[in-house]
Amino acid sequence: MLDIPLRPLKDDVLGPLVRGPLRAVPPLMITGAALAAALGAGLAAWRSAPVVAVSLWLLSRLADGLDGAVARHQGGASDRGGLVDIVADTIGYAAVPLGIAAGIDTREVWVVVAVLLATFYVNAVSWTYLAALLEKRAMGAAASGATTSTTMPRGLVEGTETILFFTLALAWPAAAPEVLAVMAVAVGITVAERLWWSRAILA
C-alpha cells in the first residue's frame, strides 16, 4: 500500500549511498548481504535477542532497497537480478517468523506462524500470476513506467507494511503472536483485494 508513495523518498534517502560508497559494488553482493542479514534476524529471534534481531532485520531491508538502485545506477539492472532479489526476499520473509516462533516456542505462536506463512503462499500466487497476466497483456512494468523487473500489483500489505509488522514482532516478542495474526488477516485481505481488482482488468 505504501511502497509506491514512499519510493521517491526512498530514492532521495538512499541516493548518496548509491552514487557514493556503493557505486562500484556488485548488486548481487548487496542482495546476498540482505539475505544474510534477514537470516541472521531470524536466528537472533530464535535466540531471544530482540535488539540484534531488529537491527539485522532493518539492515537487511536497507540492503534490499539498495541492490536494485545500485544496479540501475551502474546500468546493469537485469531480469536475473530481479529474480534473485525476490527469491532472497521470500527466504527472509519465511526465516523471520520461523525464528520468532522458535524463540517463543508455544503452540499458539507456531499455529499463528503456520497460518501467516500459508497466507504468504497464497499471496505469492495472487501477485505473481496476476503480474504475469498483466505483462502478457502489455499492462506491466514497461507500460506503467515501473523500475522493477515486472509489475508489482498493489495491495494492503507490501514491502513497507511487512517491514513494520516484522519489526514490531521482533522488538516485542510477547506481542508477536497477536502482531503476526493481524498481519495474516491483512495479507488475506490483500489477496481478496487483488482478486476483486482483477475482475475488471482481466474481464
Side-chain angles (χ1 to χ4, degrees), residues 11 22 26 28 83 103 123 183:
D11 291 342
L22 298 179
L28 285 178
L83 174 62
N123 182 58
M183 185 179 186

Side-chain angles (χ1 to χ4, degrees), residues 28-40:
L28 285 178
M29 184 179 295
I30 301 175
T31 302
L35 174 57
L39 293 174

Side-chain angles (χ1 to χ4, degrees), residues 1 123 155-159 161-162 165 183 186-187 190 193-194:
M1 182 174 70
N123 182 58
L156 179 62
V157 177
E158 299 174 342
E161 292 77 21
T162 301
F165 275 117
M183 185 179 186
V187 174
T190 301
E193 179 185 8
R194 291 200 181 109

